[in-house]
């Protein structure tokens, strides 16, 4: 197995195994995790999957720019809005049950893209100062986006951007 990404939701931990073409779900029991169970109900080609986020639905980022949404281990019909330029390299995804967006790091295009949960575009954030924004997450209480970019963390106020 080859763990490519990890995230948690409630008392569970999810790991993306791109070599094994699966997502493993681990249930927490006290301070330990029980044996993992295969989350997927139908086979998927995850060999190029690189990122994972969860808010009740599970989102998978593929390194060619595709996004897949799952619910209860099955693919859900969900299409991210067409954007210009299109996503070409996803390095990180982030969302939470409290968040209104799925945050996508697109280092090849030097930007972070926020999609609403219905797949529509919320906003694209780019800057000439970006070198390679490899990860991003939101402080939902303060409505601030944090971006990991070339060894530094940048902050963007989402209420004014």
């Amino acid at each position: 197995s080859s763990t490519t990404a990890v995230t948690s939701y409630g008392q569970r931990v999810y790991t993306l195994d791109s070599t094994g073409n699966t997502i493993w779900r681990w249930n927490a029991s006290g301070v330990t995790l029980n044996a993992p169970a295969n989350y997927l109900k139908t086979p998927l080609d995850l060999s190029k999957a690189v990122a994972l986020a969860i808010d009740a639905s599970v989102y998978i980022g593929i390194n060619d720019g595709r996004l897949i949404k799952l619910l209860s281990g099955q693919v859900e019909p969900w299409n991210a809005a067409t954007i210009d330029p299109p996503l070409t390299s996803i390095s990180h995804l982030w969302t939470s049950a409290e968040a209104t967006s799925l945050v996508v790091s697109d280092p090849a295009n030097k930007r972070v893209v926020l999609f609403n949960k219905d797949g529509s575009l919320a906003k694209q954030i780019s800057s000439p100062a970006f070198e390679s924004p490899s990860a991003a997450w939101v402080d939902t209480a303060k409505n601030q986006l944090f971006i990991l970019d070339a060894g530094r963390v940048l902050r963007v106020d989402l209420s004014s951007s």
Side-chain angles (χ1 to χ4, degrees), residues 59 67 69 78-83 100 102 114-122:
Y59 300 89
L67 293 164
K69 180 179 179 182
W78 186 80
N79 290 310
T82 302
I83 57 175
T100 58
L102 173 67
L114 284 74
F115 291 100
N116 294 311
K117 300 277 179 99
D118 66 3
S120 62
L121 178 65

Side-chain angles (χ1 to χ4, degrees), residues 4-57:
T4 311
V6 62
T7 193
S8 64
Y9 182 74
Q11 295 296 308
R12 293 181 171 161
V13 173
Y14 294 78
T15 58
L16 173 60
D17 178 353
S18 57
T19 303
N21 277 320
T22 197
I23 296 171
W24 296 105
R25 181 177 62 205
W26 309 69
N27 291 317
S29 175
V31 295
T32 61
L33 296 176
N34 295 335
N38 188 343
Y39 170 75
L40 297 178
K41 304 291 187 236
T42 54
L44 273 177
D45 178 6
L46 299 177
S47 60
K48 295 182 181 179
V50 294
L52 183 67
I54 187 166
D55 67 357
S57 295

Side-chain angles (χ1 to χ4, degrees), residues 21-157:
N21 277 320
T22 197
I23 296 171
W24 296 105
R25 181 177 62 205
W26 309 69
N27 291 317
S29 175
V31 295
T32 61
L33 296 176
N34 295 335
N38 188 343
Y39 170 75
L40 297 178
K41 304 291 187 236
T42 54
L44 273 177
D45 178 6
L46 299 177
S47 60
K48 295 182 181 179
V50 294
L52 183 67
I54 187 166
D55 67 357
S57 295
V58 171
Y59 300 89
I60 302 168
I62 310 298
N63 69 0
D64 61 8
R66 290 179 293 132
L67 293 164
I68 299 169
K69 180 179 179 182
L70 304 170
L71 184 62
S72 300
Q74 306 218 18
V75 175
E76 284 279 290
W78 186 80
N79 290 310
T82 302
I83 57 175
D84 186 26
L87 290 171
T88 56
S89 71
I90 295 172
S91 63
H92 185 259
L93 299 177
W94 179 89
T95 194
S96 71
E98 299 79 27
T100 58
S101 301
L102 173 67
V103 179
V104 181
S105 299
D106 182 15
N109 289 305
K110 298 183 179 182
R111 68 180 171 183
V112 174
V113 181
L114 284 74
F115 291 100
N116 294 311
K117 300 277 179 99
D118 66 3
S120 62
L121 178 65
K123 58 182 66 185
Q124 295 185 65
I125 298 171
S126 61
S127 167
F130 287 171
E131 293 178 39
S132 181
S134 57
W137 62 98
V138 174
D139 178 335
T140 55
K142 294 181 180 175
N143 205 25
Q144 294 179 334
L145 174 71
F146 293 89
I147 301 167
L148 178 62
D149 179 54
R152 60 196 173 145
V153 177
L154 308 171
R155 183 182 59 180
V156 176
D157 183 354

